[in-house]
Structure formats: C-alpha cells, structure tokens
Amino acid sequence: MSPAVHETRTAGYWNGLYDAGYTVEPPTAEERQMLRVCTAARSGMRALDIGCGRGRLSAHMADWGMDVTGTDFSLSAITAARETHPQVGELLDFHLYDVTADRPLVPNPGPVDIVVCRLSMEFVDSPRFMNRVRRWLTPDGVLHITTTVAEAMPQGVAHRGLSRARIAELRSGWAHMTVYPIAQDGSLIGVVLRG
C-alpha cells in the first residue's frame, strides 16, 4: 500500500485554489533586492523557479535579464502565470512540472545558476528534490528558499512554512548556508545554499 499523500501536496488541491482566485503576497521590492544581492543574480544567468504559482517572481527575474523557467505542478497555476505574463517573451517560460514525482515531466532542466523556491519548499521538501537540485545547479550555483517560519505563524494558518529545526537541517550536504530575515518579526526568511 502506498503512503498517504497530504492534500496540500496534490495538484488537485492547488488547481482548486488557483481556480478560485488563490494568490500569495507578491515579493516586495526589499525581498527582491535581498534575493538579488544574496544570490548575485544578474543578467544572462539561468534560473529555475520551483512552485512559481502565478509567476510573479519568475517575471521579476526575467525583467533582470535572466533566462527563467517557472514550474508548478498545478495546471491552473501555470495557466494563470502564462496569461498574466505573456509579454516577457524569450526570457520567461512556464512549465507544468512535479519535482517530487518519481519520473518528472522535465527530466533535467539544468544546468541552472539559481533555483528559487518562494513559499514552496514546505511542499517539495524531500531528499529526492535536494538531489535533483544539486544535479541541476552549475558548480557555482545557488539554491534560494523563501519560507515562513512555522513557529512564528498564527495557529490555524494552513500553509505554515518550515519549522526552525527543518530550516537548520537544510544545511546538510551544502558547503555554505546563509539565513537572513525578510520580515522584521522573523516570520519570513531567506535561506541561501551553495556548494
């Protein structure tokens, strides 16, 4: 018997949310600037946005001159991203892609310079995903995670982010880890993994 999969890790759950108009707060100018500084993102780099949702962060990175592929396993999210950001052209595309599947739809999107997971790591967090990221990244590549801290979120919030213990465990297998606050209260953080 297969292990049970929590509904928040199914495409059907997210399709229903996006079809009903679900959206997350877009990245602020300060959040985008910190991501740029901490990853050394620049024009000409290749980026992969995992769990891109409606594609806002993907579009910002494409505006920086990066070649960006936004991925999500929700067809409704990908459809919304394509409809919302058709003007970016050659630097931005969106693909339906389940990074946690045994056989992903896109076997190898690498090499990429930056992989970003904005508010999506709690849904893709697994050894299989981390192994794939390491294969996709260039030798100097970086994984950037934006997550809420579960313990700092109010009770009853459906998507709580990662626990402090899990955030600390992310360091395993990487040469360098940097954690920085995005929200002043520490409820939203950036995590940068290299090497």
Side-chain angles (χ1 to χ4, degrees), residues 28-40:
T28 64
E30 294 82 11
E31 179 184 341
R32 295 190 310 268
Q33 184 61 25
M34 287 300 296
L35 183 150
R36 244 180 134 161
V37 168
C38 291
T39 63

Side-chain angles (χ1 to χ4, degrees), residues 107-180:
N108 183 9
V112 295
D113 301 293
I114 300 173
V115 174
V116 297
C117 296
R118 182 177 189 267
L119 305 177
S120 60
M121 190 64 180
E122 69 182 286
F123 308 108
V124 300
D125 188 18
S126 70
R128 177 187 294 157
F129 172 67
M130 285 299 208
N131 288 335
R132 287 178 177 157
V133 168
R134 286 186 183 93
R135 284 197 316 266
W136 298 333
L137 286 171
T138 61
D140 295 326
V142 61
L143 170 60
H144 185 280
I145 299 163
T146 303
T147 185
T148 51
V149 178
E151 293 86 348
M153 298 303 291
Q155 291 299 319
V157 174
H159 308 137
R160 298 183 60 81
L162 300 177
S163 69
R164 287 187 178 99
R166 181 60 194 126
I167 292 164
E169 290 169 1
L170 290 173
R171 170 75 165 82
S172 178
W174 297 87
H176 305 282
M177 177 178 178
T178 303
V179 178
Y180 65 91

